[in-house]
Amino acid sequence: MSTSTNAVSEAQAAVETNLIERVLASFDDTPDTRLRELMQSLVRHLHAFIRDVRLTEDEWSKAIDFLTAVGHITDDKRQEFVLLSDVLGASMQTIAVNNEAYGDATAATVFGPFFLDNAPEIPLGGDIAGDASGEPCWVEGAVTDTDGNPVSGARIEVWECDEDGLYDVQYDDARVAARAHLYTDDSGCYRFWGLTPVPYPIPHDGPVGAMLEAVRRSPVRAAHLHFMVRAENLRTLVTHIFVDGDPQIAEGDSVFGVKDSLIKRFDRQAPGTPTPDGRDLGGRVWARTRFDIILAPAGV
Ligand code: BEZ
Ligand code: FE
């Protein structure tokens, strides 16, 4: 922890604090009080950072170049600002602030940049894989509220990467694969075929990747399967499940998304083991997991 602001003379400290006061005052007439609070707090923290590290002009210029590069690589398919927020832990901190634990409701985690709104609907027991390659994985569970009541008709969105660690949107063609939505049945249950998740790197060929490399951090995420669950009068849940035993969990998830309660057993099944729905997998290895989901009430 730096104490370098203490190292400056009283006269210098007065120059610096006087500037902060004038910048803060420039926001005093903001009619939107929340906007005023946000801007003034941002100014306080930004100036505290600059003073704490005694930021050089060259470092500030490099920071601006970095943010410019983040902007330049961002388009409707590549969101480098989201990646930056993720690797700085800002996404997970915002989730923590906005999804306080409620009873035994399932924990939320990072959304990531690969969700698509219009994924195809599959029936219960359907397969989300499409053309994506990977080991088949049977996923099942029930959705309940925090009083244990089944939630029927909950909309469950699921998405994941293929066995090469790529989401469909990362290919140059227009494929839609390894994503779908389905609805819980009358007893709140759901089931589908997905792919056994594998660890993969977040996109690291841009400025965020260069930053990770400079600080010797890995871009790899622990293996996971994304869920978003929506039901009337209940808090929308954005989460993933992680694979128990994945070494990447101990090595660290590049976006800090792992929570112990979201680590699930994925039981590998020997070739020829009968499948839950009688599907013939032609002698392939497959896996199965269970994820019971508890939704908090809306607005808590
Ligand atoms: C993802 O899990 O899809 C993801 C999350 C954060 C950054 C990049 C990817
Ligand atoms: Fe992901």
Side-chain angles (χ1 to χ4, degrees):
M1 183 92 144
S2 166
T3 52
S4 46
T5 47
N6 297 336
V8 299
S9 69
E10 258 181 51
Q12 174 64 18
V15 169
E16 294 170 11
T17 53
N18 174 271
L19 174 62
I20 297 170
E21 277 156 24
R22 284 185 292 124
V23 180
L24 289 174
S26 76
F27 291 99
D28 277 351
D29 293 338
T30 308
D32 180 332
T33 53
R34 175 64 175 163
L35 179 60
R36 182 169 69 223
E37 180 185 2
L38 293 174
M39 294 311 299
Q40 292 186 328
S41 179
L42 177 64
V43 165
R44 271 188 216 101
H45 286 87
L46 179 62
H47 284 250
F49 163 72
I50 293 169
R51 298 179 74 214
D52 179 36
V53 300
R54 307 309 295 170
L55 192 70
T56 68
E57 287 166 282
D58 186 48
E59 287 163 346
W60 187 231
S61 167
K62 285 207 172 86
I64 286 170
D65 288 348
F66 174 76
L67 290 175
T68 304
V70 170
H72 280 160
I73 202 173
T74 295
D75 60 20
D76 55 349
K77 282 194 138 177
R78 171 78 178 252
Q79 233 307 349
E80 197 78 357
F81 282 106
V82 172
L83 285 187
L84 180 57
S85 158
D86 294 340
V87 301
L88 293 178
S91 302
M92 281 305 288
Q93 192 66 277
T94 307
I95 289 163
V97 166
N98 287 280
N99 294 269
E100 241 173 88
Y102 183 91
D104 50 4
T106 304
T109 189
V110 65
F111 196 39
F114 296 127
F115 173 72
L116 288 186
D117 228 352
N118 49 359
E121 181 173 349
I122 55 162
L124 283 164
D127 191 346
I128 74 165
D131 285 342
S133 56
E135 179 183 272
C137 181
W138 177 256
V139 185
E140 65 189 344
V143 180
T144 55
D145 64 20
T146 45
D147 293 325
N149 302 307
V151 180
S152 62
R155 179 175 171 130
I156 302 180
E157 309 271 355
V158 284
W159 67 105
E160 62 179 323
C161 66
D162 64 17
E163 68 181 346
D164 294 320
L166 293 170
Y167 285 80
D168 52 3
V169 293
Q170 293 178 282
Y171 289 90
D172 284 337
D173 53 26
R175 79 181 70 182
V176 176
R179 68 175 72 244
H181 71 273
L182 65 160
Y183 294 91
T184 52
D185 65 16
D186 289 346
S187 51
C189 293
Y190 72 90
R191 53 206 162 267
F192 63 89
W193 282 100
L195 301 170
T196 306
V198 296
Y200 69 89
I202 63 169
H204 57 110
D205 56 343
V208 169
M211 187 270 278
L212 290 179
E213 178 148 4
V215 300
R216 304 291 184 270
R217 270 178 56 183
S218 162
V220 177
R221 291 220 57 201
H224 60 272
L225 169 61
H226 292 263
F227 282 76
M228 176 158 70
V229 187
R230 288 180 279 196
E232 228 175 297
N233 300 322
L234 295 167
R235 188 202 270 171
T236 293
L237 173 69
V238 174
T239 195
H240 346 310
I241 51 173
F242 296 90
V243 179
D244 195 14
D246 172 10
Q248 197 61 42
I249 292 178
E251 277 162 43
D253 178 51
S254 55
V255 301
F256 310 98
V258 180
K259 290 179 173 170
D260 286 350
S261 62
L262 299 175
I263 301 173
K264 304 292 169 191
R265 279 176 46 190
F266 281 70
D267 294 320
R268 311 290 290 288
Q269 310 292 314
T273 307
T275 55
D277 60 349
R279 180 179 179 187
D280 180 2
L281 290 171
R284 296 174 68 190
V285 174
W286 57 284
R288 65 184 304 163
T289 190
R290 182 170 184 94
F291 179 36
D292 292 319
I293 297 165
I294 303 175
L295 298 179
V300 294

